[in-house]
Amino acid sequence: MRRPYDPAENIFGGAQYLKELLKRFDGRLDLVLAGYNAGEGAVMKYGGNVPPYRETREYVKRITRRYGANASEPAEKITAPQQ
């Protein structure tokens, strides 16, 4: 990304990062969201689980609820779009 304050480049960069997280966490939406919020290292530190950080757990619940997923059950596997 050349211009991080350019809205289009910023959105593109965020989408690319989410795509990488989808691959890293095998489509596990809960882990993708946790990695996006707390960092993928935090997810790995806690054995490939959502870290016990209050902010991260609330973020995962809020976003999965917003998009119709059930945060109390294992997330469905989703795949990154092919280019």
Side-chain angles (χ1 to χ4, degrees):
M1 195 164 33
R2 292 181 177 187
R3 298 171 299 180
Y5 297 105
D6 176 67
E9 285 193 25
N10 192 288
I11 291 169
F12 180 78
Q16 289 299 110
Y17 183 52
L18 286 170
K19 181 179 176 181
E20 290 174 22
L21 291 174
L22 282 166
K23 288 180 184 176
R24 174 179 291 269
F25 297 121
D26 196 29
R28 286 274 310 271
L29 184 57
D30 57 342
L31 300 182
V32 170
L33 293 171
Y36 188 81
N37 181 264
E40 55 205 83
V43 174
M44 301 311 293
K45 177 181 176 181
Y46 289 96
N49 295 300
V50 176
Y53 311 144
R54 179 182 294 148
E55 176 188 335
T56 300
R57 290 183 178 256
E58 289 177 4
Y59 177 80
V60 170
K61 285 180 187 177
R62 184 173 65 249
I63 301 303
T64 53
R65 193 176 311 125
R66 184 176 293 168
Y67 292 98
N70 187 342
S72 66
E73 296 178 5
E76 289 182 40
K77 288 187 177 183
I78 57 175
T79 57
Q82 301 298 316
Q83 287 186 340

